[in-house]
Amino acid sequence: MAILRFQALKETLNRKPVKIDETDRRSELFGRNVFNETVMRQFLTKEAYQSVKDATLKGTKISRGVADHISTGMKEWAISKGVTHYTHWFQPLTGATAEKHDAFFETIGDGLAIEKFGGTQLVQQEPDASSFPHGGIRNTFEARGYTAWDPTSPAFIYGTTLCIPTVYVSYTGEALDFKTPLLRALQSVDSAATAVCKYFDKNVTKVIATLGWEQEYFLIDSALYASRPDLQLSGRTLLGHSPAKGQQLDDHYFGSIPSRALAYMRDLEIECMLLGIPVKTRHNEVAPNQFELAPIFEEANLAVDHNSLLMDVMDRVGERHNFKVLFHEKPFAGINGSGKHNNWSLSTDTGINLLSPGSTPMKNLQFLAFFVNTIKAVHDHEELLRATIASASNDHRLGANEAPPAIISAFIGTQLTEVLNELEKVTDGKLSPQEKTDLKLNVVGKIPEILLDNTDRNRTSPFAFTGNKFEFRAVGSTANCANPMTVLNTIVAKQLKEFKKSVDALVKDKKMKKDDAIFNVLRDYIKKSKKIRFEGDGYGEAWQQEAKKRGLSNNKTTPLALRAKVSKQTIDLYKEMKVMNKREVEARYEIELEDYSMRIQIEGRILGDIARNHVIPTAIRYQNVLIENVRGLKEIFEKDFKKHSKEQIGIIEAISGHIEHINADINKMVDARKKANIIEDAEKRAVAYCDEVKPFFEEIRYHCDKLELLVDDETWPLTKYRELLFTR
């Protein structure tokens, strides 16, 4: 193993950046492999084109006859670009994308064949779904599940395959994927937000949720990656002593991008342009060998698809550059982990960002309505928001090295805090002319069009307002954005629905003017949601104590956090907003608990294997070298040998002590794992893995890492942190 480590290092050091051809402009490449509007106008009839547009903008259904025309045009376009196969591309509850390729090729008898792709193949397919997570919605022996075309996300070509974004549902219609609930949530927030927009602009007929994600990741040379069994099998290092130099000098953040990494980024960006993924920003992140890319924001459903696709593309491009991309939230202990900040907002079909202040009091009142309602939604459903970012991998990141804590709070900055404090003083009932004038001119009217983005001073806030959008920072880098976006859009839709109901009641029953009613309801919401707002540093014990006083939840582990997903409040919420039924909610809960248990189980088995088969044998071999040294000293110095071998004997004893602790802890961990495995209840099993199995990881790691410092570097089998993080 030590030989493999040094071979990997040698191979890595001899790598050269891959040459990238960038002769075409990005704008010319953008969307070249996407069945977009330009392509549709060329390959579809006018009726077929309009049907796709209506389905995208209005949600109308496409008839089977028109679907045949669309499929024919799609096939001709794809074949003209060298495509041979098609697939329904979907996002099952595994956290990855799924696809089954079928050829356009079909025989017609007499030794003849044609390329065929009809409307039926476009609109619906029946994949073999027996091995996908389903949470009890369908029996394992029933492989029946359906994928159905989502025309709101355009088809694209990847390699020689036409990929058609689809939803994935069971035979009985329940969602088995991430996309279906998201589409329902987006429809719900569209309806609720449009109704509220009518208070301010009667011309608004549609509200679109937008998303701009920021993908953080690590790049590790493929040879170094292959030398670490824990990275290969779990995505993170389960042991390894911190290097003398880590990220403490802040010399990597926004620094000059290493040449090999830059070549990878350039190649990746070209692939993204072809696929219509509008990536714009790239830079070094805080930790060594950590990077980030971010796109221009898009409609939320399309943005989610693009992020899922991007992660696949990143892996494939990485292979060309001899890199392994690490998406795990915390692949290395002691340095920053990786997140996937979700920048969310709402925009009207009239071109207005509803979370962007305007130039008039009326525009600012509209902004405040959506701003305050979002904060109120976060306040009322903070445990559900925490649950939506819960995972075995994100548990390592939350609350560590400047990452947001497990406590959900909203950071809005000093400017808006002052505005809300003024609005809180609004009189209950009808406003006096003087009060209304003062509000409109001195409070609402003076909100600057460009709010200072001071949230970089509060990197620990899980949910921060950043000028014209909310940034959900607690989302982990491995997450499917559909999960947090489904929750956020659903709770905001619910809140806006309640807001309109309250305002209308004041107008009707109290005979208030619309503006008076809006101010009254907003004032009430500001008071009720005040405890969720926090402007300080969330990284520390002081905020933990303060949050406890405020009554905010602090669910530090995934099993604890996930319980909010099946609370009566959550089930009623999803039912009312028509996003998921009880069966779908409970199925997802079951799946996520099982995923958590399996990941902890796998990590425990890997750690035990590495410790016993790599670390301990190496330590014993080095110990034998020291023993031979002591024997030699005894032969030379006879009675005085103890004086000359004192340090060696101390190291021999220390090695024995660490080996003893490792073996004992592995035995205890295995026993705890066996007990957890026989627990039938998924929640209790996950809790057992969390509370009884996982604590042994740090104990075993501690003693392994101590041995790393004692054992001769030439014989240590595992590639070290300094090599993984600083070999470029």
Side-chain angles (χ1 to χ4, degrees), residues 625-638 641:
V625 171
L626 293 174
I627 290 169
E628 285 301 312
N629 179 261
V630 171
R631 283 177 180 154
L633 291 172
K634 187 175 182 181
E635 287 180 14
I636 296 171
F637 296 106
E638 296 181 347
F641 89 96

Side-chain angles (χ1 to χ4, degrees), residues 39 117 317 359 488 522 632 723:
V39 176
F117 179 59
V317 174
S359 55
L488 184 55
L522 290 181
E723 297 156 349

Side-chain angles (χ1 to χ4, degrees), residues 70-88:
I70 296 169
S71 64
T72 299
M74 202 179 280
K75 178 196 70 177
E76 292 305 315
W77 167 71
I79 289 174
S80 73
K81 296 180 74 67
V83 169
T84 58
H85 289 68
Y86 66 92
T87 183
H88 274 200

Side-chain angles (χ1 to χ4, degrees), residues 510-678:
K510 302 289 185 180
K511 308 302 179 186
M512 280 190 193
K513 290 186 177 180
K514 181 184 67 178
D515 286 5
D516 289 353
I518 290 172
F519 277 124
N520 271 263
V521 176
L522 290 181
R523 181 208 58 162
D524 184 48
Y525 287 173
I526 290 166
K527 287 182 177 180
K528 288 180 177 177
S529 62
K530 200 168 185 177
K531 71 179 183 182
I532 202 71
R533 287 166 26 211
F534 177 62
E535 303 298 302
D537 184 1
Y539 189 66
E541 187 63 32
W543 170 229
Q544 307 250 348
Q545 296 301 321
E546 171 64 21
K548 188 176 181 180
K549 287 180 185 176
R550 295 187 185 189
L552 298 176
S553 67
N554 186 10
N555 298 320
K556 293 184 178 180
T557 66
T558 290
L560 277 176
L562 288 178
R563 289 173 183 169
K565 286 200 167 186
V566 286
S567 68
K568 185 178 185 304
Q569 181 190 26
T570 298
I571 291 171
D572 290 346
L573 166 74
Y574 282 135
K575 182 180 178 182
E576 179 186 347
M577 306 314 294
K578 298 179 181 178
V579 172
M580 282 189 280
N581 60 35
K582 185 179 180 182
R583 196 178 181 196
E584 290 170 318
V585 172
E586 291 176 342
R588 278 160 170 71
Y589 178 61
E590 191 90 8
I591 289 166
E592 291 186 58
L593 286 172
E594 186 66 24
D595 180 80
Y596 179 85
S597 296
M598 292 297 292
R599 290 185 186 279
I600 302 300
Q601 181 193 75
I602 290 167
E603 287 190 355
R605 294 174 69 179
I606 296 166
L607 182 57
D609 173 56
I610 293 174
R612 277 193 167 149
N613 293 303
H614 298 284
V615 174
I616 290 177
T618 303
I620 290 173
R621 281 195 295 272
Y622 182 62
Q623 192 179 47
N624 288 335
V625 171
L626 293 174
I627 290 169
E628 285 301 312
N629 179 261
V630 171
R631 283 177 180 154
L633 291 172
K634 187 175 182 181
E635 287 180 14
I636 296 171
F637 296 106
E638 296 181 347
K639 292 180 181 180
D640 293 334
F641 89 96
K642 286 186 178 180
K643 181 177 70 173
H644 299 287
S645 61
K646 181 182 177 182
E647 296 300 324
Q648 292 90 322
I649 291 171
I651 296 173
I652 291 168
E653 289 174 347
I655 289 173
S656 292
H658 291 306
I659 289 172
E660 181 183 354
H661 280 293
I662 291 169
N663 262 322
D665 286 336
I666 290 174
N667 288 334
K668 291 175 186 175
M669 179 182 69
V670 171
D671 288 341
R673 206 166 64 224
K674 287 178 179 177
K675 290 177 183 176
N677 287 340
I678 61 175

Side-chain angles (χ1 to χ4, degrees), residues 228 230 237-242 333 607 615 658 662 697-711 716 718 720-721:
R228 291 286 307 219
D230 48 356
T237 53
L238 296 171
L239 47 84
H241 196 277
S242 297
L607 182 57
V615 174
H658 291 306
I662 291 169
F697 291 7
E698 284 306 308
E699 292 296 319
I700 295 167
R701 177 177 191 147
Y702 171 81
H703 293 287
C704 288
D705 290 355
K706 287 295 183 182
L707 286 175
E708 182 182 330
L709 292 178
L710 291 173
V711 172
W716 190 253
L718 300 167
K720 297 189 175 185
Y721 264 37

Side-chain angles (χ1 to χ4, degrees), residues 30-40 44 52-53 55-56 70 74 77 87 89 91 122 149-158 161-166 179 183 274-278 298-306 309:
F30 187 70
R32 189 178 287 179
N33 288 343
V34 179
F35 196 67
N36 53 28
E37 282 199 39
T38 302
V39 176
M40 284 194 290
L44 299 184
V52 176
K53 291 294 293 178
T56 302
I70 296 169
M74 202 179 280
W77 167 71
T87 183
W89 183 82
Q91 299 165 42
L122 168 64
W149 177 34
D150 170 21
T152 65
S153 183
F156 57 91
I157 293 170
Y158 195 45
T161 304
L162 172 66
C163 300
I164 303 156
T166 58
K179 181 186 274 282
L183 290 173
L274 292 170
L275 292 165
I277 306 173
E298 300 176 283
E299 184 274 325
N301 177 47
L302 181 59
V304 168
D305 280 0
H306 277 166
L309 175 59

